[in-house]
Amino acid sequence: MTSSLLRSRALLLGPRLMTHHFIKPGQRPVLATTIHTTHENNAPGSGLLASTHWNAERLVSVGLIGIIPAAFCIQHPAMDYALAASLVIHGHWGIEQVVTDYVHGETLPKVANAALFAFSALTFAGLSYFNYNDVGLTKAVLMLWSSST
């Protein structure tokens, strides 16, 4: 029983699934050419590799675990700017994934990504302006918490 199960699973996972009945002479199997990323897709200037981008997202997410409490313990303008940048990039990458997954078509994804980039840039500019001209991000949150009690 298990040997027949292993053989059937190997047929599904292996290239033997595409038999000569489905492949024309001189034609390569479709699965063999589209599953793996080719070198041309990773050429310089084509953006980050998916694994590099994924690692950067995880680094920012884990970094927020340390930056948020550190910004409240060490109230310094540099910590406010680090917190603002981390929150904006974290939110930008999260919403960018939603746009990538759910916005389809020719021009709509480009418009949505441009709007997201503009919104993220304006958000960071607003937080930077607030940090520079007012009490700062962490001090404002502490003031909100203290006034509610």
Side-chain angles (χ1 to χ4, degrees):
M1 174 71 179
T2 58
S3 64
S4 64
L5 180 64
L6 290 175
R7 269 188 264 135
S8 65
R9 184 175 178 149
L11 283 175
L12 289 174
L13 297 176
R16 291 171 290 209
L17 180 65
M18 300 296 286
T19 63
H20 66 279
H21 299 290
F22 299 107
I23 302 173
K24 296 176 185 173
Q27 182 184 15
R28 293 182 61 185
V30 175
L31 290 176
T33 59
T34 58
I35 287 180
H36 301 294
T37 305
T38 60
H39 180 67
E40 291 82 19
N41 292 342
N42 299 328
S46 64
L48 285 176
L49 292 174
S51 61
T52 306
H53 186 71
W54 188 86
N55 289 336
E57 287 176 344
R58 296 308 158 279
L59 183 66
V60 168
S61 297
V62 170
L64 277 170
I65 295 171
I67 288 175
I68 291 172
F72 286 101
C73 293
I74 308 166
Q75 292 185 2
H76 191 269
M79 291 303 290
D80 284 336
Y81 285 107
L83 180 63
S86 301
L87 289 173
V88 169
I89 196 76
H90 179 72
H92 177 85
W93 282 340
I95 296 172
E96 184 180 46
Q97 291 304 313
V98 172
V99 168
T100 301
D101 288 344
Y102 295 109
V103 179
H104 304 291
E106 286 292 320
T107 58
L108 195 57
K110 294 176 185 175
V111 170
N113 280 324
L116 175 62
F117 184 76
F119 180 74
S120 297
L122 285 172
T123 302
F124 181 70
L127 289 174
S128 296
Y129 180 83
F130 185 77
N131 284 337
Y132 187 76
N133 291 319
D134 211 332
V135 294
L137 194 57
T138 55
K139 183 95 171 181
V141 171
L142 289 175
M143 289 169 64
L144 284 172
W145 283 343
S146 67
S147 67
S148 66
T149 56

